[in-house]
């Protein structure tokens, strides 16, 4: 029988204990799964371990490096549109998913007020595993019976009324994440659907989901038409009357969110209009001159939809935009704006990924030759001379080396005080 192993696990700002009675996992994936199960972590994570020799955390690549009572650190992996699907037994209702906020904020002073996102803004990016929503009572009953029959004798469920309800709810759920789902995202939704309800596999299809993919494509288009009639700004921006001159063609100059943009063009907060938000913008300029942090945070959050309309519809140059929105170019507000747009905390995610790839980056820098390589080696001397240097110092050296590696001038990008 394998001996019980225990770990000290750091999750955000909490310290927890993990006990594995089955012994040391044979792979890192098994350890990650055990951590996710034990602490109910639903998002993708990676694990770092504390090396006693360097007194620092390193990315875990094999469980052979671990022993009983070691310290582990959970690092959240940012979600991308590249999707990895796994079977899902229980999924939250989409109405709950759309209301959850994954936003985290950097530490700020006590007199700083952080506002909750506007209800009109999406709160999370496209998930790694799409949560299939709960359908109507009759549809859920038909699916339950259909799954039992399928598992018993392999008979597939074919019901036009069930399919219509499923497509309607899926289109609504997908809109909670993006108005313009791409082929990969529609494929992910179809795959998650038949994994949860195998009786819905498409007969004769090479993968069982091709028909669902095509149906979702047309259903999402119809759903966008319905939402456009209700005044959704990110859809109205592409209407014919809002296009200029030669662009007045259905398929020309379609404005869509970039890969990471979740809140591309949200609606104004309740009770706000273009003119009222423009007045708030003028007040914001005055607050910026007085360095009124509380008022700035409040007004920046309120005017996000107005600011995005200006960016998307007018594409102003940077100088003009900076003149109109001076507060946006403060470091804290840059982080907040990224959180509003991408629903991802910029600084913490960047630092976690920098820590993850630092060992590989240092190997890459060490192999660099020429004049740039010599400048990089001078910077790396700080780490070579002090192997127990702090994480902050290691990040500083890594970023300075990266600047040199990319052929930029570090003195022009970084000012030392």
């Amino acid at each position: 029988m394998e001996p019980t192993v225990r770990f000290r696990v750091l999750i955000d700002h909490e310290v927890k204990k993990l006990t594995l009675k089955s012994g040391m996992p044979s792979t890192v994936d098994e350890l990650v799964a055990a951590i996710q199960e034990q602490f109910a972590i639903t998002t993708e994570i990676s694990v770092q371990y504390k090396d006693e020799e360097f007194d620092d955390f390193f990315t875990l690549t094999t469980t052979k490096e671990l022993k009983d009572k070691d310290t582990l650190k959970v690092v959240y992996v940012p979600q991308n549109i590249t999707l990895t699907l796994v079977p899902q037994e229980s999924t939250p209702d989409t109405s709950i998913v759309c209301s959850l906020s994954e936003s985290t904020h950097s530490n700020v002073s006590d007199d700083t007020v952080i506002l909750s996102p506007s209800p009109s803004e999406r709160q999370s990016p496209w998930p790694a595993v799409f949560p299939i929503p709960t359908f109507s009572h009759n549809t859920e009953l038909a699916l339950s019976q259909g799954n039992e029959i399928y598992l018993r004798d392999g008979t597939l469920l074919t019901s036009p009324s069930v399919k219509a309800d499923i497509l309607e709810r899926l289109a609504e759920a997908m809109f909670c994440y993006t108005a313009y789902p791409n082929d990969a995202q529609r494929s992910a939704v179809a795959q998650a659907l038949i994994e949860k309800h195998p009786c819905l596999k498409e007969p004769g299809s090479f993968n069982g989901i091709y028909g669902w993919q095509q149906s979702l494509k047309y259903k999402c288009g119809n759903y966008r038409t319905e939402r456009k009639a209700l005044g959704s700004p990110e859809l109205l921006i592409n209407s014919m009357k809002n296009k200029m001159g030669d662009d007045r063609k259905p398929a020309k100059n379609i404005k869509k969110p970039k890969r990471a943009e979740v809140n591309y063009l949200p609606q104004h907060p309740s009770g706000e209009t273009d003119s009222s938000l423009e007045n708030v913008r003028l007040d914001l300029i005055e607050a910026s001159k007085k360095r009124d942090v509380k008022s700035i945070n409040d007004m920046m959050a309120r005017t996000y939809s107005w600011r995005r309309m200006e960016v998307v519809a007018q594409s102003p140059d940077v100088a003009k935009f900076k003149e109109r929105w001076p507060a946006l170019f403060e470091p804290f507000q840059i982080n907040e704006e990224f959180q509003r747009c991408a629903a991802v905390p910029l600084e913490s995610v960047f630092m976690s990924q920098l820590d993850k790839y630092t060992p590989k980056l240092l190997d890459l820098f060490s192999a660099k030759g020429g004049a740039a390589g010599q400048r990089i080696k001078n910077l790396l001397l700080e780490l070579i001379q002090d192997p127990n240097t702090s994480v902050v110092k290691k990040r500083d050296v890594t970023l300075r080396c990266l600047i040199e590696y990319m052929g930029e001038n570090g003195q022009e990008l970084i000012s030392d005080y």
Side-chain angles (χ1 to χ4, degrees):
M1 182 176 179
E2 292 288 338
T4 300
V5 292
R6 294 153 296 176
F7 295 108
R8 178 172 174 263
V9 184
L10 307 180
I11 304 177
D12 292 331
H13 302 293
E14 299 180 346
V15 180
K16 299 186 178 182
K17 180 180 178 181
L18 174 65
T19 302
L20 300 178
K21 296 183 179 180
S22 58
M24 184 70 70
S26 58
T27 65
V28 175
D29 289 341
E30 291 179 5
L31 176 61
V32 169
I35 293 174
Q36 289 177 315
E37 180 179 1
Q38 178 71 27
F39 303 117
I41 299 174
T42 58
T43 57
E44 187 178 354
I45 62 172
S46 64
V47 177
Q48 298 179 352
Y49 74 99
K50 190 168 186 178
D51 187 278
E52 294 180 353
E53 183 179 353
F54 290 95
D55 192 30
D56 200 356
F57 287 94
F58 293 88
T59 301
L60 184 65
T61 57
T62 173
T63 55
K64 294 179 181 178
E65 300 170 336
L66 299 178
K67 60 182 183 299
D68 187 30
K69 297 184 179 180
D70 266 356
T71 298
L72 305 177
K73 181 179 179 182
V74 170
V75 178
Y76 292 96
V77 177
Q79 297 175 335
N80 299 316
I81 286 182
T82 302
L83 305 171
T84 304
L85 299 176
V86 296
Q88 189 175 14
E89 297 179 0
S90 60
T91 348
D93 188 272
T94 307
S95 61
I96 299 176
V97 173
C98 292
S99 65
L100 291 178
S101 173
E102 296 181 1
S103 67
T104 56
H105 298 84
S106 305
N107 293 329
V108 293
S109 58
D110 294 336
D111 62 345
T112 301
V113 177
I114 304 300
L115 299 176
S116 299
S118 167
S120 63
E121 295 176 16
R122 297 186 176 97
Q123 306 302 306
S124 58
W126 186 272
V129 179
F130 189 85
I132 300 300
T134 301
F135 305 112
S136 68
H137 177 74
N138 290 341
T139 299
E140 288 290 338
L141 183 61
L143 290 174
S144 177
Q145 295 174 349
N147 287 330
E148 292 179 5
I149 295 173
Y150 175 79
L151 294 175
R152 186 172 62 245
D153 55 24
T155 302
L156 298 173
L157 176 64
T158 55
S159 171
S161 60
V162 168
K163 183 175 182 179
D165 181 50
I166 290 173
L167 291 173
E168 183 70 29
R169 291 289 287 124
L170 288 179
E172 181 181 335
M174 293 164 72
F175 196 87
C176 288
Y177 298 103
T178 176
Y180 295 94
N182 56 33
D183 290 339
Q185 291 168 333
R186 290 192 296 269
S187 176
V189 175
Q191 186 68 38
L193 176 66
I194 66 169
E195 286 180 354
K196 185 175 182 180
H197 302 294
C199 65
L200 295 176
K201 288 182 180 179
E202 182 188 28
S205 172
F206 70 97
N207 58 2
I209 64 172
Y210 182 76
W212 284 105
Q213 290 177 248
Q214 298 304 306
S215 296
L216 283 172
K217 179 178 181 179
Y218 294 113
K219 185 60 184 179
C220 287
N222 293 337
Y223 189 77
R224 282 196 294 271
T225 302
E226 297 173 9
R227 292 299 295 257
K228 184 188 293 185
L230 296 175
S232 177
E234 61 185 332
L235 302 176
L236 287 175
I237 194 69
N238 291 318
S239 62
M240 297 290 285
K241 67 178 182 180
N242 288 325
K243 291 187 177 183
M244 302 295 292
D246 296 336
D247 289 341
R248 287 185 177 174
K249 298 178 182 179
K252 187 173 182 180
N253 195 23
I254 299 295
K255 298 181 183 294
K256 294 183 180 180
K258 302 296 188 296
R259 177 174 177 176
E261 292 175 337
V262 176
N263 291 301
Y264 175 66
L265 195 56
Q267 293 181 337
H268 290 333
S270 178
E272 299 286 4
T273 63
D274 291 357
S275 58
S276 67
L277 291 177
E278 177 63 17
N279 291 332
V280 175
R281 185 191 68 81
L282 297 175
D283 294 338
L284 178 59
I285 294 178
E286 295 302 318
S288 300
K289 296 177 181 178
K290 299 176 182 178
R291 312 294 294 179
D292 188 346
V293 178
K294 290 183 179 180
S295 297
I296 290 174
N297 291 335
D298 180 11
M299 290 186 283
M300 285 294 289
R302 285 173 61 191
T303 55
Y304 174 68
S305 59
W306 181 232
R307 195 159 51 251
R308 288 299 300 175
M309 177 63 74
E310 184 175 326
V311 170
V312 174
Q314 301 177 19
S315 302
D317 57 66
V318 175
K320 181 180 179 181
F321 195 69
K322 188 173 182 178
E323 181 182 347
R324 287 177 56 81
W325 302 95
L328 179 61
F329 292 81
E330 295 294 328
F332 177 72
Q333 291 301 333
I334 291 174
N335 280 278
E336 288 298 293
E337 192 78 353
F338 191 89
Q339 177 79 48
R340 297 183 193 108
C341 186
V344 172
L346 172 62
E347 196 167 330
S348 60
V349 170
F350 174 81
M351 290 303 178
S352 68
Q353 291 301 289
L354 179 64
D355 293 342
K356 178 181 178 181
Y357 292 108
T358 289
K360 292 182 179 180
L361 286 172
L362 293 179
D363 291 341
L364 190 65
F365 299 152
S366 300
K368 180 70 172 178
Q374 185 58 49
R375 292 193 296 270
I376 288 174
K377 286 180 173 60
N378 293 336
L379 293 171
L380 291 176
L381 283 176
E382 297 185 54
L383 298 183
I384 297 174
Q385 294 171 354
D386 184 12
N388 297 321
T389 187
S390 66
V391 174
V392 174
K393 185 61 178 178
K394 188 177 294 185
R395 289 171 177 171
D396 177 69
V397 172
T398 303
L399 289 175
R400 290 178 185 272
C401 290
L402 182 61
I403 292 171
E404 296 292 345
Y405 188 87
M406 298 299 293
E408 300 287 347
N409 187 342
Q411 295 180 348
E412 295 179 359
L413 297 175
I414 299 177
S415 297
D416 292 315
Y417 294 91

